[in-house]
Amino acid sequence: MKKKPAVGTRVRLTGEFLHNTGQITGPEGLARWTVMPCDCSLCALGNHVAVDEPYVYDPDSPRHIHIGVLERAR
């Protein structure tokens, strides 16, 4: 995505990103997330969005994903 998706948008990782990182099969290729509201400094820069999955190292914080590796999920 070149433009930051709106809160509530369903997103997934792009096929190109999955291919380049060797994740063609497995859970990341099947994962879908909803963009969540977030006012952290990372999201404020406009290159990342928070999604409805906990961050692996801090379950109280949302996972953040760069918008360049996301596309709208169907």
Side-chain angles (χ1 to χ4, degrees):
M1 297 188 127
K2 294 182 180 188
K3 182 179 171 187
K4 187 172 180 176
V7 171
T9 303
R10 295 284 295 164
V11 294
R12 66 181 182 182
L13 295 172
T14 65
E16 180 181 10
F17 175 78
L18 293 167
H19 176 76
N20 289 342
T21 58
Q23 299 181 81
I24 296 300
T25 61
E28 287 298 298
L30 300 173
R32 305 291 184 266
W33 304 282
T34 301
V35 176
M36 305 299 290
C38 183
D39 60 356
C40 75
S41 59
L42 192 61
C43 290
L45 291 173
N47 293 327
H48 291 77
V49 292
V51 296
D52 61 341
E53 177 179 73
Y55 179 52
V56 68
Y57 298 112
D58 181 5
D60 294 328
S61 297
R63 177 178 180 181
H64 288 77
I65 305 175
H66 192 277
I67 63 171
V69 299
L70 292 175
E71 63 187 13
R72 186 177 308 276
R74 294 186 179 107

